[in-house]
Every structure is written in C-alpha cells, then in structure tokens.
C-alpha cells in the first residue's frame, strides 16, 4: 500500500463552456434531477417499451437534493471518469469474461451498451430499458463508471496485434497468495458513488447489460468515508486506522499527466490507448487481529508515520517532507529502515509513482473469528512496470507492513481514454 495521497476534490465540474444541463438528451427521457425538482402529480411514472424508463416526480414543495446527491461526474471527456476524482463512499469492482463464441463484434456491441448506460446513470437518469427503480428519487451522487480490458481480451477478440506490451502479466511477488478465480478477466468495470443504492443500481444495470455476451468472473464491494462526515477534508484512513494516501501525486503537479496517463504521441503503446491509463487491482487482506495487538508506537514504526495525523516520524505535519537521515539520541534512524512509508517513496524507487484510489472492504467474520477485511487497492499509472511493479518489488524485499497484510487477488487492465461525444469507450480499438 504505497504511501501516496489522493486528490481531495469531490465535485466534478463540467468542462469550460459545457454547462451541466438538466434537460434530457433526445431519446433519453427526462433526467432524474429534473423530475425531482418538478412540482405536480405525485406518483407520475413515464412508461416506454421495455419497461419504465422515468422516475417518479417529487411532490410540490419537496426538499431538494443535497449537494451530495446533486454532485455529478461527466462521462465524456479526455480521460474516463473514476480516475482523478476524489474517493467515493461506495465502490464495486467487477470483472467479466466474454461468453464462449463471443468475439470482437459482440464485444463492440457490449461496450456500446455499457457506454450508453454509464452516460445515462452518471447524469442521474434511469436505465434505457427495464430500470430496476433501485435508485429512484436519488441524484447522480458523483457516480462514475470506468471500463478496462484485460490481457486475455485481445486473444478472445482477435486483436492480439493491438495488445499493449504494458499489459504483460504482473510478475509473482513473495507476498502473493492469489486466488486465480478472483483475479484478472477479459473486461473490468469500476463503479463508484457517494450513495450505496446509486452504486448498486449501476452494478446491477451493468450486469444486466452484459446479457449473453459476457458473464461475471468476480466481483468485490468496497467503501470509504462519506464526504462531509468530517468537519474538514482529510486524507482517508484505512482499516488499520492509518491515514492512507499522503504522498499521492496531485493533478496540479506539472508531471502528473506524464506519470498517470498514456501520452497521445511519442509512446510505445498503441494509438487507441492515448489518454488512457493502466489500473492495477489487488485485494489486500489486512491481518487486523495481529495488527491490533501492536502498540500504537509499534504500528507507527511499521508505517513510518504518526497514526494521529499522518506526520512522518521525523517531525512536522502530514505533508512535511520526511527526513530519512534523522536519528534519535542513540543514533538509530527515527524512520526505521524497513518502514512502509520510507520504502514506498518515489525518490526511493527511481521516481516511480502511481495514483492510488482504493476502497476498504469487509466480507464478514471467518469461522475462527478473524475479520475478512482489508483494502481493494486500485492504482493508476501510465506504465505499470515503472509504477506498481517497481514499488511492489521494493516492498516485497523488506517492507515491515508485509507481516500484517496478504495479497489475495490481482488484476491488470488497460483503460482507454475517455469517449468523445458520439463515441463509446474502446471504439477506437474495436473499430479501428
């Protein structure tokens, strides 16, 4: 769990000159937000062939949506949503395998359906057909839906020549205890929202849209603190109680795009990956019973940062630069040589950096009473070999935190750039 911080923004603004409209696009019905603000007959439901596609209007004088429900991310853009946005309260990660006999044609039709669905749901509208009403009365709630391709997708669709070299399988690490059934996959979808029902509604709709073209390979559920739950914005805490993400690269940094996104030119990656990124997904179980037996002092030495405020053990505040050479009165390093934050630093890994955007998870209590809980680690980078692999190899050789975590599932996915107006995600690959 490399020590890098996430952007803290929550509201995603429309690009300059593109106001977020509350009017429905032609053929898309009436937006959920507009219906919610419409005075008039309660219980009004708009019908259409294939099932209800509208949402009931609110009674006259109804309380408007809070900012949490109104916040909206944009589907169309240079990059796909769900990468640079701040942490979301609820998340679902799901991988699909194409059905037997399905190929490039079926994959293109599926990505077209999924893109249409993502655009509608992210705008706060109902699904085009057979909407389940799970998210009725809710706003967009910062919903993001992101799509990626696994290594196996390219052989399944006859597109081997378009497979990026950066998508080669990740190497084995000594901390791996991987369940192959919960790893990799032809297609990957990340769903995030600040409302649990909005996130579930998107997951269920995406699953239904897959139809006979693809089946679920694995699916995982995660969560983070709800925006607004603290008096001011803070770096997120993980289930070990540590601030997690202090040194994440930030979009305001001059080399952010170079580190996180594939350039439009001058790259070894195929042209269809321009403005895209690579997502490494790891299910990391935290051995919380063992961790919680440690004193706070011992936990801080494992991480290299104060548990209370995330400050480096060498002093200062959360964002104060760590002094790797500082010693105590006995001449011992203040930040231990095997501390997680020391080993994961970009300047200790040839500048390797990645944008971490994880979710915590809790999948119940085992028969022996231990919690099945930890981190759904998702990180983004322009080159996974220089990003995740470089850092993880270093961590694998001596990270003090490795005693208290176990990597149980893994995946690497090529996430193409955002879809332009009138395009679907992956169109330049599937129709190029």
């Amino acid at each position: 769990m490399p020590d890098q911080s996430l952007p803290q923004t929550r509201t995603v603004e429309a690009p300059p000159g593109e106001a977020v409209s509350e009017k429905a696009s032609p053929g898309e019905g009436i937006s959920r937000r507009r219906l919610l603000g419409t005075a008039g007959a309660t219980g009004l439901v708009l019908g259409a062939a294939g099932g209800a596609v509208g949402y009931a209007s609110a009674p006259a004088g109804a309380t408007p949506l809070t900012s949490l429900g109104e916040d909206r991310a944009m589907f169309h853009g240079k990059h796909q949503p769900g990468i640079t946005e701040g942490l979301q309260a609820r998340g679902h990660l799901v991988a699909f395998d194409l059905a037997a006999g399905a190929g490039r044609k079926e994959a293109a039709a599926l990505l077209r359906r999924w893109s249409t669905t993502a655009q509608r749901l992210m705008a706060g509208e109902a699904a085009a057909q057979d909407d389940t009403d799970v998210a009725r009365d809710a706003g967009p709630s910062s919903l993001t839906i992101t799509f990626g391709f696994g290594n196996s997708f390219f052989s399944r669709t006859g597109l081997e020549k378009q497979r990026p070299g950066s998508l080669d399988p990740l190497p084995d690490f000594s901390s791996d205890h991987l369940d192959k059934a919960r790893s990799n996959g032809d297609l990957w979808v990340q769903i995030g929202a600040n409302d649990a029902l909005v996130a579930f509604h998107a997951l269920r709709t995406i699953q239904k849209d897959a139809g006979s073209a693809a089946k679920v390979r694995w699916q995982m559920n995660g969560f983070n603190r709800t925006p607004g739950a603290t008096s001011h914005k803070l770096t997120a805490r993980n289930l070990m109680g540590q601030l997690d993400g202090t040194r994440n690269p930030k979009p305001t940094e001059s080399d952010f795009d170079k580190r996180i996104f594939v350039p439009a030119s001058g790259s070894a990656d195929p042209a269809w990956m321009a403005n895209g990124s690579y997502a490494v997904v790891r299910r990391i179980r935290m051995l919380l019973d063992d961790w919680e037996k440690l004193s706070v002092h011992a936990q801080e030495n494992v991480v290299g940062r104060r548990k209370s405020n995330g400050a480096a053990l060498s002093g200062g505040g959360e964002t104060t630069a760590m002094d790797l050479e500082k010693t105590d009165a006995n001449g011992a390093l203040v930040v231990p040589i095997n501390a997680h934050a020391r080993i994961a630093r970009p300047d200790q890994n040839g500048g390797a950096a990645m944008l971490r955007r994880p979710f915590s998870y809790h999948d119940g209590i085992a028969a022996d009473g231990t919690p099945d809980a930890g981190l759904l680690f998702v990180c983004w980078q322009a080159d996974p070999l220089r990003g995740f692999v470089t850092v993880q190899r270093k961590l694998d050789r001596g990270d003090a935190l490795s005693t208290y975590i176990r990597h149980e599932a893994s995946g690497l996915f090529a996430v193409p750039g955002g879809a332009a107006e009138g395009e679907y995600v992956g169109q330049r690959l599937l129709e190029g």
Side-chain angles (χ1 to χ4, degrees), residues 63-139:
T63 302
L65 289 171
T66 67
S67 61
L68 190 67
E70 286 183 337
D71 287 349
R72 175 182 173 184
M74 306 305 293
F75 174 73
H76 293 297
K78 183 177 181 180
H79 310 297
Q80 286 197 60
I83 301 176
T84 59
E85 288 85 356
L87 292 180
Q88 293 165 291
R90 300 289 176 176
H92 301 293
L93 308 180
V94 54
F96 293 82
D97 285 335
L98 290 172
R104 181 173 177 176
K105 178 181 178 181
E106 290 77 14
L110 174 57
L111 266 297
R112 190 179 296 110
R113 290 197 300 276
W114 275 351
S115 295
T116 298
T117 289
Q119 181 180 5
R120 292 181 66 91
L121 298 190
M122 286 174 57
E125 299 171 357
Q129 292 184 347
D130 300 322
D131 191 90
T132 63
D133 281 350
V134 170
R136 179 187 289 270
D137 304 326

Side-chain angles (χ1 to χ4, degrees), residues 120-205:
R120 292 181 66 91
L121 298 190
M122 286 174 57
E125 299 171 357
Q129 292 184 347
D130 300 322
D131 191 90
T132 63
D133 281 350
V134 170
R136 179 187 289 270
D137 304 326
S141 300
S142 298
L143 175 67
T144 62
I145 304 177
T146 318
F147 304 102
F149 305 113
N151 183 289
S152 56
F153 176 83
F154 297 85
S155 57
R156 297 294 306 275
T157 55
L159 291 166
E160 291 96 335
K161 292 183 179 180
Q162 290 296 318
R163 178 167 46 208
S166 298
L167 204 55
D168 287 348
L170 297 173
D172 295 330
F173 302 103
S174 63
S175 56
D176 286 353
H177 297 76
L178 304 182
D179 178 356
K180 292 183 178 180
R182 292 195 294 182
S183 299
N184 301 312
D186 294 342
L187 293 156
W188 175 69
V189 185
Q190 173 191 258
I191 295 167
N194 286 334
D195 178 78
L197 288 181
V198 168
F200 177 83
H201 177 243
L203 173 67
R204 182 65 180 134
T205 307

Side-chain angles (χ1 to χ4, degrees), residues 221-305:
N221 309 309
F223 59 89
N224 286 301
R225 177 171 281 156
T226 300
T230 57
S231 59
H232 57 282
K233 292 179 180 178
L234 298 169
T235 302
R237 290 190 184 273
N238 60 34
L239 299 188
M240 289 179 161
Q242 300 285 153
L243 292 184
D244 190 351
T246 296
R247 285 184 57 84
N248 238 0
K250 297 175 176 59
T252 53
E253 296 171 356
S254 60
D255 61 350
F256 179 84
D257 280 4
K258 180 180 178 180
R259 290 179 170 193
I260 307 305
F261 296 109
V262 175
S265 61
S267 170
D269 288 277
W272 64 266
M273 270 298 290
N275 302 314
S277 189
Y278 290 92
V280 173
V281 182
R282 309 276 280 184
R283 185 182 190 272
I284 304 175
R285 185 169 181 176
M286 295 176 171
L287 308 181
L288 294 178
D289 282 355
D290 294 336
W291 175 256
E292 291 164 2
K293 290 175 183 176
L294 299 178
S295 67
V296 170
H297 176 71
Q299 291 177 353
E300 291 177 340
N301 279 335
V302 167
V303 175
R305 291 184 175 274

